[in-house]
Amino acid sequence: MKSSLRLALLACASFIGLALAAPALAAYNPSLTIEQSSYKVGGATIADVFIVAPQNDDPTAKLKIFSPAGYSAVLTQAPGTKIGSVFAIVKAKALGGALLPLSGDVLVANPTDPAIQAAALRCTGITTNQANWVLNTQLQGQTVAIPVFVNKVGPFVTQDVCLPSPDIPPASGGATFGAQLVSADFTVKGVFTNAAAKGGYEWAGIFTPYTPGTGTPNAAGTVEWRTFVGLPSSLTLAKEKAKRGFKLVGKLTVQGLNPKAIRLWVYAGKKARPAPTATAAGTGKRSGRSARLPATGKYSILRASVKFTTFFQTRFENYITSCTGPSPSGLPVPCKGEDLAAVTSNQVKATKPKRRR
């Protein structure tokens, strides 16, 4: 847990854009971004897990995700229970490097399934993990099941994901179609509960690549990426009158974060809930940005009158900072960077002004 966070913030592009961009400057630059449905102290929350591994980097062999110390989790869901959904993009090396989308459900797997036990033994060294999940996706009509092995370890809940190498044949344990993970976005519902004390908390992802062209993990290339979560966090939004048009006003509050100089995005659309959240993609699009916030976190955005009923939300997103302090995992792994968890406001509705007679 952190009591404060030193801000050296960098506005960054969408991570999916980075993942699909031109060749990377370094061999391995994965990231882990977590967004939560709730930032209330002690509140149950849905975790949205977003993993990116740029397509021209070394392929990922293993990822281990650590929940923040102080969070609790329920790992007793029955096999077959749907706990979320998943969307992913892979680069199919056997298909000329084509980028292919996968989607499906996150399910609780049967721990007695021989395939799950074999995968667990390869990934974690045991067959008796406390929970077994599977990202049950489809790729060109074939089911591509990615197991996730979950355990409570000391103050953490860990998720282990091991991926087959895209550089060896499937008959030798390699990936179907030579699939290399580029991004994965999956939700986990009904599992995590936020810590019971105010403060700054960190999710951590420990990534290990393959040695290029082989099926051998490169342990020396292991790196970390973190996501900072402030409990509590909130972003409010209201609509006020103005001489011309109207104003969107509110306040950003993130425990452990000084909001000075942050800019918020404004989302707008004809349908309700225009901005993305941990559980929805959003129905609208970005339509503007706030000025840089003062240390109070308060903001005011002047908008012109709308020509049709329009819904608005503001969103704190796409900010990163350098890592401070040792890894929350306790492992001596170099840290590449730290995301600040996104926060979305409530929505307000603006209607077309009535004509004066």
Side-chain angles (χ1 to χ4, degrees), residues 33 48-51 85-89 106 183-187 278:
T33 304
D48 180 26
V49 181
F50 187 33
I51 301 160
S85 58
V86 57
F87 176 81
I89 294 175
V106 181
S183 69
D185 187 359
F186 67 93
T187 53

Side-chain angles (χ1 to χ4, degrees), residues 14-36:
S14 165
F15 278 119
I16 191 64
L18 291 176
L20 305 181
L25 297 176
Y28 196 54
N29 293 286
S31 63
L32 170 73
T33 304
I34 304 290
E35 183 174 355
Q36 299 184 186

Side-chain angles (χ1 to χ4, degrees), residues 107-146:
L107 304 173
V108 177
N110 183 349
T112 64
D113 183 335
I116 290 294
Q117 290 193 340
L121 189 61
R122 288 192 300 270
C123 188
T124 66
I126 60 173
T127 60
T128 54
N129 294 284
Q130 295 171 29
N132 303 273
W133 303 338
V134 62
L135 311 183
N136 203 37
T137 65
Q138 298 290 320
L139 174 60
Q140 293 194 347
Q142 293 193 38
T143 297
V144 179
I146 304 173

Side-chain angles (χ1 to χ4, degrees), residues 28-29 35 44 91 95 119 133 142 148 155 158 168 193-194 198 212 217 233 237 268 284-285 325 332 335-336 338:
Y28 196 54
N29 293 286
E35 183 174 355
K91 180 173 74 172
L95 300 176
W133 303 338
Q142 293 193 38
V148 182
T158 63
I168 62 174
T193 297
N194 294 334
K198 291 183 179 180
S233 294
L237 177 63
K285 60 182 181 181
C335 184
K336 290 279 190 174
E338 182 165 32

Side-chain angles (χ1 to χ4, degrees), residues 237-272:
L237 177 63
K239 182 166 67 75
E240 293 185 352
K241 293 182 179 180
K243 290 184 178 179
R244 293 184 179 181
F246 58 94
K247 291 190 293 185
L248 298 174
V249 300
K251 182 178 180 180
L252 172 68
T253 303
V254 177
Q255 184 71 31
L257 174 68
N258 179 356
K260 186 176 181 180
I262 284 173
R263 299 182 69 186
L264 303 172
W265 285 102
V266 178
Y267 282 79
K270 296 180 182 180
K271 297 180 180 180

